[in-house]
Amino acid sequence: MEAEDALNSGIITCWQSPSNIALVKYWGKKGNQIPANASLSITLSVAYTLTRIKASKAPSGKGPAVIFRFEGVLNETFGVRIESFIKSVLPHFTFPKDIIFDIESGNNFPHSAGIASSASAMSALALCLCSLENKLAGIDGISESFLQKASFISRIGSGSACRSVFGGISVWGKHPAIDGSDDEFAVPLPFELHPLFAGIRDTILIVDPGQKRVSSSVGHNLMKGHAYAAARFSQATTNLTAMLLALKQGDWETFSLITENEALSLHAMMMTSRPGYLLMHSNSLKIIDKVAEFRKQTGSAVCYTLDAGPNVHILYPESDSDKIKPLIEELKEYCHQGTAIEDKMGSGPEKLNCR
Ligand code: PMV
């Protein structure tokens, strides 16, 4: 009864959740968002989504219904997608289905920056839904099981989103080297990260801010029956094992080797799909070349990775920031209007007290 009263006056939940960049990539899935291999990512801090949900009681049989505003503007297309996502995850929640979800969401990075926003958006939304469930049940605080559920729900919205629920480094997918790792949700790194990697920097070079020509879901699907699929999944598993050791031991060389191998393997899978396609641009290739050249000349700890798009992430230890600055300045020449986003490893999502 109390819960119903609360819904009558509207319950507000609000979360800020960051994007993440995978070092060991998830590319290929089975069933309902189950990854073909385990992946590992850095949770970022600067690029995030802020989402606020006001949940109110809907007339019987009229819920769930979604009103969605993106950066203050009503967006019916996203609203329809979010409504179908909420319907699909409803069986995992104890709250009633007759709810109107009045959702406001926005990114703190430019909408057209070409950064994958699905990880931050879906994790922020999932965290709000989990908080709503807790509020209705009179549960306070953020427990381990709360985060696990938020990760599980995020995954259903967008696979990579489930890793954004945890700060630092997280792993999604069953992997023999990590006890408790799971295909249905991500887990935080189960050991202390070597100080070399604490606060690792990620300068995101925006080569093209436009929408990608081939979506990730189409790309994942093309891994079904891909000639190199089995080899790719086993490569990712081996790379993850070596990456874990590098993160523990502060081994930059192995970290860098695997990170770049994963980025190029991801794009190689796209090129060798049927039909094949390219998401890198000529400027992405120029940046990759320049990073390798700079590393050779200066011996600096710097490497790159790419998401499923043309933008290039430049990774380096926080302690080397000053040394890498000239390289970043030089690389801006290859960016759309010289755009680069200075991001770094963050501590994960934050619950906010919105009105
Ligand atoms: O979460 P999705 O379905 O958008 O897939 C993301 C895939 C990559 O970003 C390319 C790799 C990853 O692991 O994040």
Side-chain angles (χ1 to χ4, degrees):
M1 196 57 208
E2 265 176 43
E4 249 178 61
D5 285 349
L7 267 182
N8 279 334
S9 46
I11 298 176
I12 293 172
T13 56
C14 201
W15 277 88
Q16 174 178 310
S17 190
S19 185
N20 71 71
I21 179 70
L23 303 177
V24 176
K25 310 289 185 184
Y26 146 61
W27 199 241
K29 58 179 158 186
K30 38 194 183 177
N32 185 17
Q33 304 273 80
I34 299 300
N37 61 262
S39 56
L40 177 147
S41 60
I42 299 177
T43 298
L44 299 174
S45 60
V46 173
Y48 64 76
T49 298
L50 201 155
T51 297
R52 171 193 183 269
I53 296 185
K54 182 174 183 192
S56 328
K57 198 167 166 23
S60 177
K62 296 277 186 225
V66 167
I67 302 163
F68 182 74
R69 261 177 244 97
F70 184 73
E71 280 161 12
V73 181
L74 199 67
N75 189 320
E76 285 186 28
T77 316
F78 279 155
V80 169
R81 268 201 245 163
I82 291 169
E83 193 172 298
S84 96
F85 164 70
I86 291 182
K87 280 179 181 154
S88 76
V89 295
L90 216 56
H92 300 290
F93 288 106
T94 51
F95 47 70
K97 75 177 180 49
D98 285 324
I99 293 182
I100 298 170
F101 295 89
D102 200 329
I103 306 176
E104 288 192 38
S105 193
N107 296 336
N108 75 324
F109 46 94
H111 181 42
S112 57
I115 299 185
S117 57
S118 66
S120 54
M122 292 317 299
S123 52
L125 184 63
L127 284 156
C128 285
L129 293 175
C130 291
S131 275
L132 171 64
E133 180 175 56
N134 272 8
K135 276 196 177 180
L136 280 166
I139 300 169
D140 243 355
I142 311 296
S143 62
E144 213 173 286
S145 66
F146 172 89
L147 291 175
Q148 187 179 101
K149 179 161 185 176
S151 180
F152 174 95
I153 299 293
S154 306
R155 183 202 101 239
I156 297 171
S158 163
S160 56
C162 74
R163 297 184 311 237
S164 275
V165 168
F166 302 97
I169 286 189
S170 48
V171 175
W172 168 39
K174 253 191 177 330
H175 189 278
I178 300 187
D179 282 348
S181 55
D182 203 289
D183 283 347
E184 295 196 321
F185 50 84
V187 294
L189 199 66
F191 53 82
E192 207 170 321
L193 189 63
H194 189 280
L196 176 69
F197 297 109
I200 187 171
R201 297 293 177 108
D202 176 9
T203 300
I204 313 168
L205 300 174
I206 309 300
V207 171
D208 185 345
Q211 276 228 318
K212 4 181 221 208
R213 285 186 298 262
V214 181
S215 73
S216 285
S217 40
V218 169
H220 285 294
N221 256 327
L222 288 169
M223 286 306 286
K224 290 183 182 135
H226 192 297
Y228 304 140
R232 163 60 200 148
F233 303 145
S234 111
Q235 174 198 39
T237 305
T238 310
N239 275 348
L240 184 36
T241 308
M243 179 58 91
L244 290 170
L245 204 62
L247 292 171
K248 197 181 239 175
Q249 297 178 338
D251 175 355
W252 182 270
E253 212 172 301
T254 305
F255 172 91
S256 162
L257 206 68
I258 293 171
T259 299
E260 295 184 357
N261 177 247
E262 280 288 315
L264 297 181
S265 297
L266 169 70
H267 284 261
M269 289 304 109
M270 297 172 192
M271 292 180 215
T272 50
S273 289
R274 285 190 182 199
Y277 60 103
L278 281 157
L279 292 185
M280 278 195 254
H281 289 193
S282 53
N283 278 351
S284 320
L285 297 175
K286 283 183 188 140
I287 291 170
I288 288 175
D289 270 354
K290 289 273 178 195
V291 170
E293 199 181 297
F294 182 85
R295 189 167 49 212
K296 203 168 166 194
Q297 279 171 3
T298 63
S300 304
V302 60
C303 67
Y304 63 83
T305 186
L306 294 109
D307 226 326
N311 302 326
V312 188
H313 293 242
I314 307 293
L315 302 172
Y316 46 96
E318 193 170 27
S319 54
D320 284 31
S321 302
D322 286 343
K323 275 197 243 163
I324 309 299
K325 240 184 208 145
L327 171 67
I328 302 289
E329 286 312 311
E330 192 188 337
L331 296 178
K332 283 185 183 169
E333 180 195 333
Y334 305 108
C335 297
H336 173 80
Q337 297 175 348
T339 315
I341 296 175
E342 297 290 346
D343 214 327
K344 59 179 178 184
M345 179 188 283
S347 53
E350 239 180 275
K351 187 173 178 220
L352 306 175
N353 286 318
C354 294
R355 288 169 179 273

